[in-house]
Amino acid sequence: MRVFQIQDDWGMDHLQLATRPDPRPGPGEVLIRMKAASLNYRDLLVPGRGYGSFTGNLPLIPLSDGVGEVVETGAGVTRVKAGDRVCPCFHQGWIAGAPDLERLTQTLGGPRDGTMADLMCLSQEGVVKAPAHLSDEEAATLPCAALTAWSALVTYDALAPGSRVLVQGTGGVALFAIQFAKLLGAHVTVISSSDAKLARAKALGADAGINYATTPEWAKATREITGGRGYDHIVELGGEKTLPQSLRAIRPGGTLSMIGVLSGPSLAAPLGLVVTRQVRLQGITVGHRDGFEAMMRAVGEHGLRPVIDRVFGFAALKEAMAYLKSGAHFGKVCIRH
Ligand SMILES: NC(=O)c1ccc[n+]([C@@H]2O[C@H](COP(=O)([O-])OP(=O)(O)OC[C@H]3O[C@@H](n4cnc5c(N)ncnc54)[C@H](OP(=O)(O)O)[C@@H]3O)[C@@H](O)[C@H]2O)c1
């Protein structure tokens, strides 16, 4: 089968097209013919050895997200059958319950082989059926970015209609957060570096927008939007530069979901505000299969459609990665197998 793999050393230069023998499903496993994949910011970091502490073995097939058709099942498989369209779970070892090190370390696209392969062989426990109304590219966007937004807003919070939510940027996680927050009846503010992207976010359902490039002290500008009350939930994707603003914009008792560190990983924030405002800081690392299945039901029930910016061919993975890195995208960048 055709694969893309980080070959014999770390670094983008070692990411290459290659072939591997076709895998065969063992007991409890399913063989999936992959149809599409999608890129996350994380996939840009993995070839350079992830977040600095990544210890996967090489060669490694990158990308965590994708969708495919089950073409063969091993002995004892009951969860899915040949012909089903499934997405692999980002965390292959986390079905439900509280996270622990074992559950959090079996992730696709590093250290486990990912979705840039014609065929994937996975445990039946590590796949979830995809909603029927979605195209392959749309379904391929769901395992990481969408579940991360869902975990933040649904699994680890209980947003009520009328809640105020702030979302940072207009990338993959951010647009799913806008869509899910609107589904839950929340009022949504988006911050972006681009007025054009803010207009598109509003067309997607966002109620208010602030340009964080022209208004770096954006917390002040949010006071009017929330009537001075502050946000019930902030989807924190910026990290170092945005957290100080978020702590000024959150309401007392509000939840700050720590998801991304796009502007830097160090903590330089007024921590006293966490105490005096009794802020709940909730780290998120994608989510478990139970959450993924609940999210799939919601996506199917409401006919929600992921926002796709651009689709590249399988052989154009590096071009797709360069495009994602440029930050020009609005929504997801996908690969058609
Ligand atoms: N913890 C988890 O489970 C988890 C899961 C998925 C992703 N993440 C993390 O979440 C972040 C976003 O991932 P993604 O895949 O959605 O990325 P993405 O699609 O590449 O989106 C990046 C977008 O973030 C915005 N942005 C960049 N710098 C910013 C800043 N300083 N302040 C506010 N917004 C900023 C930009 O939006 P504008 O162009 O509109 O300014 C940019 O387009 C990454 O750090 C990623 O590692 C974490």
Side-chain angles (χ1 to χ4, degrees):
M1 65 171 175
R2 215 172 31 145
V3 302
F4 242 106
Q5 59 187 17
I6 306 165
Q7 200 78 22
D8 43 13
D9 199 0
W10 296 94
M12 279 298 275
D13 292 347
H14 301 275
L15 180 59
Q16 290 163 13
L17 263 175
T19 55
R20 288 195 193 182
D22 288 1
R24 296 296 318 280
E29 289 182 339
V30 296
L31 185 68
I32 306 160
R33 180 163 296 285
M34 298 305 292
K35 304 276 191 191
S38 87
L39 275 69
N40 291 287
Y41 187 80
R42 174 183 190 266
D43 302 316
L44 302 178
L45 306 179
V46 167
R49 210 164 195 167
Y51 298 82
S53 58
F54 199 71
T55 54
N57 292 322
L58 297 179
L60 172 72
I61 300 174
L63 271 55
S64 59
D65 288 7
V67 72
E69 183 187 333
V70 175
V71 287
E72 194 181 339
T73 55
V77 169
T78 53
R79 270 177 55 79
V80 292
K81 58 181 185 325
D84 285 348
R85 195 170 63 138
V86 296
C87 292
C89 296
F90 178 85
H91 288 293
Q92 283 292 298
W94 191 13
I95 306 294
D100 62 29
L101 275 184
E102 176 62 21
R103 289 172 174 175
L104 292 184
T105 47
Q106 301 300 314
T107 51
L108 294 185
R112 301 267 307 258
D113 278 331
T115 55
M116 283 303 288
D118 285 331
L119 294 164
M120 284 186 88
C121 198
L122 295 171
S123 162
Q124 64 166 334
E125 302 297 341
V127 300
V128 164
K129 286 181 197 162
H133 72 285
L134 300 179
S135 70
D136 289 333
E137 287 78 16
E138 288 170 333
T141 66
L142 298 173
C144 176
L147 181 55
T148 301
W150 178 268
S151 295
L153 298 174
V154 180
T155 310
Y156 292 104
D157 200 1
L159 279 190
S163 299
R164 303 259 157 177
V165 174
L166 182 133
V167 174
Q168 298 176 352
T170 56
V173 176
L175 294 192
F176 281 116
I178 295 171
Q179 290 178 297
F180 290 142
K182 290 312 295 178
L183 215 59
L184 294 160
H187 179 285
V188 180
T189 303
V190 184
I191 64 166
S192 169
S193 58
S194 148
D195 288 339
K197 288 183 177 182
L198 284 174
R200 293 181 72 182
K202 284 185 182 168
L204 192 66
D207 301 280
I210 301 170
N211 186 320
Y212 67 80
T214 54
T215 311
E217 301 279 311
W218 48 263
K220 273 187 204 147
T222 64
R223 281 187 204 139
E224 205 175 314
I225 297 170
T226 66
R229 185 169 176 270
Y231 289 93
D232 298 282
H233 193 122
I234 295 182
V235 177
E236 177 64 49
L237 297 166
E240 191 169 322
K241 300 251 165 38
T242 47
L243 188 59
Q245 292 298 308
S246 295
L247 286 172
R248 292 184 175 93
I250 193 101
R251 77 162 166 81
T255 296
L256 231 158
S257 287
M258 287 297 314
I259 293 175
V261 291
L262 288 162
S263 66
S266 301
L267 187 61
L271 290 177
L273 289 175
V274 178
V275 179
T276 55
R277 295 194 179 187
Q278 204 171 315
V279 173
R280 195 162 68 104
L281 277 178
Q282 175 67 60
I284 300 285
T285 172
V286 189
H288 49 53
R289 193 188 78 194
D290 264 12
F292 197 23
E293 287 182 325
M295 184 198 88
M296 292 298 212
R297 285 192 293 276
V299 168
E301 199 63 43
H302 291 273
L304 186 142
R305 300 206 92 102
V307 179
I308 293 183
D309 180 285
R310 215 165 139 184
V311 180
F312 290 80
F314 188 89
L317 174 64
K318 286 190 172 187
E319 287 88 328
M321 291 171 99
Y323 180 63
L324 185 76
K325 197 171 177 190
S326 78
H329 61 291
F330 178 88
K332 297 298 293 182
V333 177
C334 295
I335 302 286
R336 186 174 294 133
H337 277 45

